[in-house]
Amino acid sequence: MTTVQSPPAPPTAIRPKVVARTGLYAVLAANAAVVTWFAVQAGFASNALVVTGRFAGLYAALLMAFQLLLVARLPWLDRRIGMDRLTNWHRWTGFGLLWTLVGHVVFIAFGYAQSSSMNPVSQVVDLAETVEGVFRAVVAMGLILVIGGASARWARRRLAYETWHFIHLYAYVAVVLAFTHQIAAGTTFTASSAATAYWYAVWGVALGSVLLGRLVLPLWRNWRHQLRVEAVVPEADNVVSVYITGRDLDRMPARAGQFFLWRFLTKDRWWQANPFSLSAAPDGTRLRLTAKAAGDGSASLRHLAPGTRVFAEGPYGAFTAMHRTRPEAVLIAGGVGVTPIRALLEEIHGHAVVIYRVAGERDAVLYDELRELAVAKGAELHLVTGPSAPDRLAPRELAALVPDIAQRDVFLCGPPPMMNAVLGTLRELDVPKPQIHFERFSLAG
């Protein structure tokens, strides 16, 4: 494939990931300060428990809006941080939100119970029956408890992704109910027109980001590019490459190392989305993915007919040369994790060492392409074969292959056990953390 080459970007003093992460923290901190200021301006209740509960509710609402921003799949954030890390932050923010909401309910219940003859539980029931918006908040709290339970690690391991995702969709119902509760019962954002306008703006940006990133942008790109299957090429007994063509693909903002969520619009799989990396750098005329038959979705790819319509969400991911900090690189692939590595080698500039770890030579998918690319780009290529034990990428072995590895960027992709082992090796070899680039491809985090 002929790659559309862009001039190499020099390593930047401030990493894109740091810029994006700092921006997110700054946005959250600034909004927390604004919320606090509006709460102070609205005045305090005489009961300290009620005051504490109200502040907990305000910060919980802010965390809920922040969660929406983290999973909105906005291209600027995704290219700098990556969907895997954003999803992980969303998960941990969710647990923070859950406990903050619990604090909101407990402090409010005990605070109001102090000035009445009711116990805290009866007080919550009474508020739900007599105060507008409180019943909606109780329902929202129940939904969030269910979603939080389904997202706990022990439950997530036992749930199919489709089941987990269906439960998670109720979060949007909880968001709507919580927002209407805030407008109906919250004194902070009804105390002034400025406070009301600010709160509508916060939620407008949060919900608008989700609508833009997860609906409008994918629909627009697919309408514009009209993607279709061009060809299906077997690479091995259980590996297949799918070539995708369409209109104006030179304007598709995809880079080597990124992935799409692919839907092939056939009657038996139009509803199923699978994350597959690009296995070749985009050349402006076609895209290519290469997948191993690891499940029903990937196994059925070899039966796709040319001309099949494709709906692709993306491109996603921060596993790109955009994050380079050094002029030279090491690309480490394991198994079918070679797909984004092969694409990166096609795009990357400067001297590169490619290490391909497989059980045996017959498992080395796309190896011939890697070898040709390595020759063309003046890169070193090492095929490392054998069983997982002993570790053939242990510190001594990896240092022998790349003696100056601590002075290079390292791009790593492969099965989770292999990636975890190599990450441990890189720490032992004192490779600076900013020079290590990897991404865990998972929809659910």
Side-chain angles (χ1 to χ4, degrees), residues 30 34 81 173 178 234 291 330-331 347 394:
V34 172
I81 297 177
V173 177
V330 180
L331 310 179
E347 180 185 288

Side-chain angles (χ1 to χ4, degrees), residues 142-416:
L143 290 173
I144 290 172
L145 286 172
V146 171
I147 295 165
S151 298
R153 197 174 298 278
W154 61 269
R156 181 65 193 91
R157 288 172 178 168
R158 291 165 172 79
L159 291 173
Y161 169 74
E162 290 77 12
T163 303
W164 175 89
H165 186 259
F166 180 78
I167 294 172
H168 226 68
L169 289 177
Y170 281 100
Y172 294 107
V173 177
V175 165
V176 173
L177 292 173
F179 179 71
T180 58
H181 161 69
Q182 296 154 23
I183 297 302
T187 57
T188 298
F189 299 111
T190 57
S192 70
S193 57
T196 302
Y198 161 78
W199 204 232
Y200 272 100
V202 166
W203 282 96
V205 169
L207 291 170
S209 297
V210 173
L211 186 65
L212 175 64
R214 304 194 72 149
L215 183 63
V216 174
L217 195 54
L219 288 174
W220 158 250
R221 283 181 175 165
N222 281 275
W223 176 84
R224 180 181 188 181
H225 297 297
Q226 298 291 309
L227 301 176
R228 293 181 181 273
V229 173
E230 181 183 52
V232 178
V233 179
E235 303 286 357
D237 292 342
N238 60 347
V239 179
V240 65
S241 288
V242 181
Y243 291 80
I244 310 292
T245 189
R247 300 186 316 193
D248 301 327
L249 290 187
D250 57 319
R251 298 187 179 184
M252 174 78 79
R255 294 194 63 172
Q258 290 190 301
F259 68 98
F260 288 79
L261 303 181
W262 303 94
R263 294 178 189 268
F264 297 95
L265 305 184
T266 61
K267 64 180 181 179
D268 57 342
R269 58 169 300 152
W270 61 268
W271 52 273
Q272 189 175 30
N274 293 103
F276 295 123
S277 298
L278 296 175
S279 59
D283 65 359
T285 61
R286 62 178 58 83
L287 305 171
R288 188 183 77 171
L289 65 97
T290 302
K292 184 177 181 179
D296 292 340
S298 52
S300 62
L301 292 179
R302 66 175 60 248
H303 303 300
L304 289 172
T308 299
R309 289 292 302 272
V310 182
F311 188 93
E313 299 175 51
Y316 297 129
F319 192 67
T320 69
M322 172 184 184
H323 296 274
R324 292 188 63 184
T325 64
R326 294 288 185 272
E328 299 181 334
V330 180
L331 310 179
I332 304 176
V336 78
V338 72
T339 56
I341 294 294
R342 181 251 180 256
L344 274 172
L345 178 60
E346 195 172 355
E347 180 185 288
I348 209 163
H349 296 271
H351 183 263
V353 177
V354 183
I355 302 172
Y356 191 4
R357 177 72 171 94
V358 289
E361 290 188 16
R362 61 176 298 176
D363 301 306
V365 181
L366 305 180
Y367 182 68
D368 289 340
E369 292 186 17
L370 273 178
R371 186 167 50 198
E372 292 175 7
L373 273 173
V375 171
K377 304 206 50 121
E380 296 178 33
L381 175 61
H382 302 280
L383 182 63
V384 179
T385 62
S388 56
D391 185 2
R392 285 166 169 74
L393 294 181
R396 180 182 298 178
E397 286 74 9
L398 190 55
L401 292 174
V402 195
D404 62 343
I405 192 169
Q407 284 74 53
R408 294 174 178 260
D409 278 304
V410 180
F411 290 85
L412 169 66
C413 187

